[in-house]
Amino acid sequence: MREKLTIIKVGGKIVEEEATLRQLLDDFVGVEGHKVLVHGGGRSATKIATLLGIESKMVNGRRITDEETLKVVTMVYGGLVNKNIVAGLQARGVNALGLTGADMNVIRSVKRPIKDVDYGFVGDVEKVDASLLSDLIHKGVVPVMAPLTHDGQGNMLNTNADTIAGETAKSLSTLFDVTLVYCFEKKGVLRDENDDDSVIPQITRGEFEQYVADGVIQGGMIPKLENSFEAINAGVSEVIITLASAISENGGTRIKK
Amino acid sequence: MREKLTIIKVGGKIVEEEATLRQLLDDFVGVEGHKVLVHGGGRSATKIATLLGIESKMVNGRRITDEETLKVVTMVYGGLVNKNIVAGLQARGVNALGLTGADMNVIRSVKRPIKDVDYGFVGDVEKVDASLLSDLIHKGVVPVMAPLTHDGQGNMLNTNADTIAGETAKSLSTLFDVTLVYCFEKKGVLRDENDDDSVIPQITRGEFEQYVADGVIQGGMIPKLENSFEAINAGVSEVIITLASAISENGGTRIKK
């Protein structure tokens, strides 16, 4: 039987402020069994870039990553944010290991081809190599993954944290019984966007399509759920969309096959 | 029989410039057997700190590390410099893993007590835990260590790269036949500081004391050699002081028991 593994993705907002980070780390300690934390860090990157006189350009919510911006995100995601989390988890008795996709060649990407937009040094994930990662997890190590990968040719690549979490979950699902948790600023997928308590507790593919047809689920939640079903179809046992403060609880929206 | 392991420490100057870094990585690939790279990054830290409006204060060649400076060195050493090296090694087929002392709790330090000088968030190494590290090395992973440790209470600590290399070498010498290489801006320890070719090929403790008494070895080279003998006494097989460009060759000064 495959052992349970929980992969939790949290956005930058939560890990970049001292109080919310402290709460997250306390909650993360409470998550039982093997686990992986995937984090963002966009606000800090924008802040440091501004201080360094580098303009942050976003297109469709994605950062245009020129050479100077790549240095900033490598510093901020791989250094500042990642090591702050790692040190915080070590202080809580969690044997964290900070990783980018370049480390142990865990995630290799390809630089996004230029179509309408040149995103610069942004990576589309090509391959996750989970063999050494799973050995470490079995030994009690808790990987903390920054939203960075590499191209195998010496370049780091800025990579979406949701994608890192999803692709890592898919790859590890061959070895573990994986639950993927996307932390979100709402309690879950809402039936009524104006009512924070109208969480839909569980969604199957058929129900999802009906919700979309009825206009209940719309906007940015649609690709998030599409990604979730893709993960489920690739072997991930369950995807949960919930509040960061509820990762060790039983709430949120569960996406099932 | 213990397998051979080479730990190479290179200063910031070499890893911070594209051309010298490329050369170093090419040379590092040529080092046979298990290996570890320990790097500095002080020049980049000073540069980024200046751009961020943070003054770099040095006392006895050591950086005074206040809270803001700690963020800079965490970003620069753990992110920018470390991941640039890791990606460069991966491109050369070396399965590098970037680490700070916080990662897998490899090196725990204690914040340096305030005596004459308050160095701030600077760590004095307390304990190296090489068990997971040695497992990974046996599996072909090449650790790339940034000059950062942690205090086990959630704080990263700025830590001298020579010390990281020396302490890691001592710890791994219980499991491997360790050669520790300190890269230096000269070809080795010189008999005549004005003659770059006057390298002393080998120094024993007795010879070292005689050289110091005769005034041949002086200044900053004395603590460097004291540290080398300490490593030798703690089980490291050999310490070599040489040029970075000569790490895969047979030159430099060899320090033996």
Side-chain angles (χ1 to χ4, degrees), chain A residues 12 39 41 47 53 61 78 89 92 98 113 119 146 177 181-183 193 197 224 234-235 243 251:
Chain A
H39 64 84
K47 198 174 128 193
L89 286 175
R92 287 163 174 82
Y119 284 96
D177 173 10
V181 182
Y182 283 119
C183 292
E193 61 174 328
D197 288 322
K224 216 176 191 74
L243 275 175

Short mmCIF file of all heavy atoms in Angstrom, two decimals, chain A residues 12 39 41 47 53 61 78 89 92 98 113 119 146 177 181-183 193 197 224 234-235 243 251:
data_model
loop_
_atom_site.label_atom_id
_atom_site.label_comp_id
_atom_site.label_asym_id
_atom_site.label_seq_id
_atom_site.Cartn_x
_atom_site.Cartn_y
_atom_site.Cartn_z
N GLY A 12 2.12 33.54 -2.13
CA GLY A 12 3.12 34.41 -1.55
C GLY A 12 2.60 35.17 -0.33
O GLY A 12 3.27 35.25 0.69
N HIS A 39 5.66 26.94 -2.27
CA HIS A 39 5.31 28.33 -1.95
C HIS A 39 5.52 29.28 -3.12
O HIS A 39 6.30 29.00 -4.04
CB HIS A 39 6.15 28.81 -0.76
CG HIS A 39 7.62 28.86 -1.02
ND1 HIS A 39 8.22 29.94 -1.63
CD2 HIS A 39 8.61 27.97 -0.79
CE1 HIS A 39 9.52 29.71 -1.74
NE2 HIS A 39 9.80 28.52 -1.25
N GLY A 41 5.82 33.78 -3.77
CA GLY A 41 6.66 34.85 -3.23
C GLY A 41 6.62 36.12 -4.06
O GLY A 41 7.50 36.96 -3.95
N LYS A 47 8.53 43.77 -4.53
CA LYS A 47 9.07 44.76 -3.60
C LYS A 47 10.58 44.93 -3.79
O LYS A 47 11.09 46.05 -3.92
CB LYS A 47 8.77 44.31 -2.16
CG LYS A 47 8.87 45.40 -1.12
CD LYS A 47 8.41 44.87 0.24
CE LYS A 47 9.46 45.15 1.29
NZ LYS A 47 9.22 44.42 2.56
N GLY A 53 15.14 49.08 -8.55
CA GLY A 53 14.90 49.89 -9.74
C GLY A 53 14.50 49.08 -10.96
O GLY A 53 14.66 49.52 -12.09
N GLY A 61 -1.53 37.98 -15.21
CA GLY A 61 -1.15 37.54 -13.87
C GLY A 61 0.22 36.88 -13.81
O GLY A 61 0.65 36.43 -12.76
N GLY A 78 14.15 31.52 -4.16
CA GLY A 78 15.07 30.44 -3.79
C GLY A 78 15.85 30.73 -2.52
O GLY A 78 16.30 29.81 -1.82
N LEU A 89 10.51 25.95 9.84
CA LEU A 89 10.08 24.56 10.03
C LEU A 89 11.08 23.79 10.88
O LEU A 89 10.68 23.00 11.75
CB LEU A 89 9.86 23.88 8.67
CG LEU A 89 8.60 24.31 7.93
CD1 LEU A 89 8.53 23.67 6.54
CD2 LEU A 89 7.34 23.95 8.73
N ARG A 92 10.51 24.14 14.33
CA ARG A 92 9.32 23.41 14.79
C ARG A 92 9.52 21.89 14.71
O ARG A 92 8.56 21.13 14.76
CB ARG A 92 8.12 23.83 13.96
CG ARG A 92 7.62 25.24 14.29
CD ARG A 92 6.73 25.81 13.21
NE ARG A 92 6.15 27.08 13.60
CZ ARG A 92 6.80 28.26 13.50
NH1 ARG A 92 8.03 28.29 13.04
NH2 ARG A 92 6.19 29.38 13.88
N GLY A 98 14.89 22.91 1.52
CA GLY A 98 14.48 23.85 0.47
C GLY A 98 14.99 23.43 -0.88
O GLY A 98 16.16 23.03 -1.01
N PRO A 113 7.91 29.08 -25.13
CA PRO A 113 8.07 29.61 -26.49
C PRO A 113 7.33 30.95 -26.63
O PRO A 113 6.29 31.16 -26.01
CB PRO A 113 7.39 28.54 -27.36
CG PRO A 113 7.19 27.35 -26.50
CD PRO A 113 7.13 27.83 -25.09
N TYR A 119 7.39 35.91 -22.43
CA TYR A 119 7.43 35.92 -20.97
C TYR A 119 8.87 35.91 -20.44
O TYR A 119 9.09 36.01 -19.26
CB TYR A 119 6.65 34.74 -20.40
CG TYR A 119 5.14 34.93 -20.46
CD1 TYR A 119 4.39 34.41 -21.51
CD2 TYR A 119 4.48 35.66 -19.47
CE1 TYR A 119 3.01 34.59 -21.57
CE2 TYR A 119 3.11 35.85 -19.53
CZ TYR A 119 2.38 35.31 -20.58
OH TYR A 119 1.03 35.51 -20.63
N ALA A 146 10.42 26.01 -3.98
CA ALA A 146 10.28 27.37 -4.49
C ALA A 146 9.79 27.32 -5.95
O ALA A 146 10.03 26.34 -6.64
CB ALA A 146 11.62 28.08 -4.42
N ASP A 177 0.20 7.84 -1.97
CA ASP A 177 -1.23 8.17 -2.05
C ASP A 177 -1.33 9.68 -1.79
O ASP A 177 -1.31 10.12 -0.65
CB ASP A 177 -1.95 7.35 -0.97
CG ASP A 177 -3.41 7.71 -0.83
OD1 ASP A 177 -3.94 8.45 -1.69
OD2 ASP A 177 -4.02 7.25 0.16
N VAL A 181 -3.24 19.99 -1.88
CA VAL A 181 -4.05 21.05 -1.27
C VAL A 181 -3.62 22.40 -1.84
O VAL A 181 -2.46 22.81 -1.69
CB VAL A 181 -3.86 21.07 0.27
CG1 VAL A 181 -4.74 22.15 0.90
CG2 VAL A 181 -4.17 19.70 0.87
N TYR A 182 -4.58 23.07 -2.51
CA TYR A 182 -4.31 24.42 -2.99
C TYR A 182 -4.89 25.40 -1.98
O TYR A 182 -6.12 25.46 -1.80
CB TYR A 182 -4.97 24.67 -4.34
CG TYR A 182 -4.27 24.04 -5.52
CD1 TYR A 182 -4.90 23.09 -6.32
CD2 TYR A 182 -2.97 24.43 -5.86
CE1 TYR A 182 -4.26 22.53 -7.42
CE2 TYR A 182 -2.32 23.87 -6.96
CZ TYR A 182 -2.97 22.92 -7.73
OH TYR A 182 -2.33 22.37 -8.82
N CYS A 183 -4.04 26.17 -1.32
CA CYS A 183 -4.56 27.17 -0.39
C CYS A 183 -5.02 28.38 -1.17
O CYS A 183 -4.42 28.77 -2.17
CB CYS A 183 -3.50 27.55 0.63
SG CYS A 183 -3.16 26.19 1.72
N GLU A 193 -20.50 33.72 -4.70
CA GLU A 193 -19.23 34.41 -4.42
C GLU A 193 -19.36 35.48 -3.35
O GLU A 193 -18.36 35.94 -2.80
CB GLU A 193 -18.61 34.97 -5.71
CG GLU A 193 -19.48 35.99 -6.41
CD GLU A 193 -18.77 36.64 -7.61
OE1 GLU A 193 -17.54 36.78 -7.56
OE2 GLU A 193 -19.46 36.98 -8.59
N ASP A 197 -19.54 31.48 3.24
CA ASP A 197 -19.85 30.18 3.84
C ASP A 197 -20.55 29.22 2.89
O ASP A 197 -20.95 28.13 3.31
CB ASP A 197 -20.69 30.40 5.11
CG ASP A 197 -19.83 31.00 6.22
OD1 ASP A 197 -18.65 30.60 6.32
OD2 ASP A 197 -20.32 31.87 6.96
N LYS A 224 -8.27 26.59 -12.49
CA LYS A 224 -7.81 25.96 -11.25
C LYS A 224 -8.44 24.57 -11.12
O LYS A 224 -7.76 23.61 -10.76
CB LYS A 224 -8.24 26.84 -10.06
CG LYS A 224 -7.24 26.89 -8.92
CD LYS A 224 -7.70 27.86 -7.83
CE LYS A 224 -6.62 28.12 -6.81
NZ LYS A 224 -5.52 28.98 -7.23
N ALA A 234 -4.39 11.97 -13.45
CA ALA A 234 -3.02 11.46 -13.56
C ALA A 234 -2.62 10.64 -12.34
O ALA A 234 -1.46 10.23 -12.23
CB ALA A 234 -2.05 12.63 -13.75
N GLY A 235 -3.55 10.41 -11.41
CA GLY A 235 -3.24 9.50 -10.31
C GLY A 235 -3.26 10.12 -8.92
O GLY A 235 -3.11 9.41 -7.92
N LEU A 243 -8.78 27.29 2.69
CA LEU A 243 -8.03 28.38 3.32
C LEU A 243 -6.70 27.84 3.85
O LEU A 243 -6.65 26.72 4.36
CB LEU A 243 -8.82 28.91 4.53
CG LEU A 243 -9.88 29.97 4.31
CD1 LEU A 243 -10.59 30.24 5.64
CD2 LEU A 243 -9.30 31.25 3.74
N GLY A 251 -12.00 21.05 6.13
CA GLY A 251 -12.91 21.89 5.34
C GLY A 251 -12.54 21.96 3.87
O GLY A 251 -11.87 21.10 3.33
#
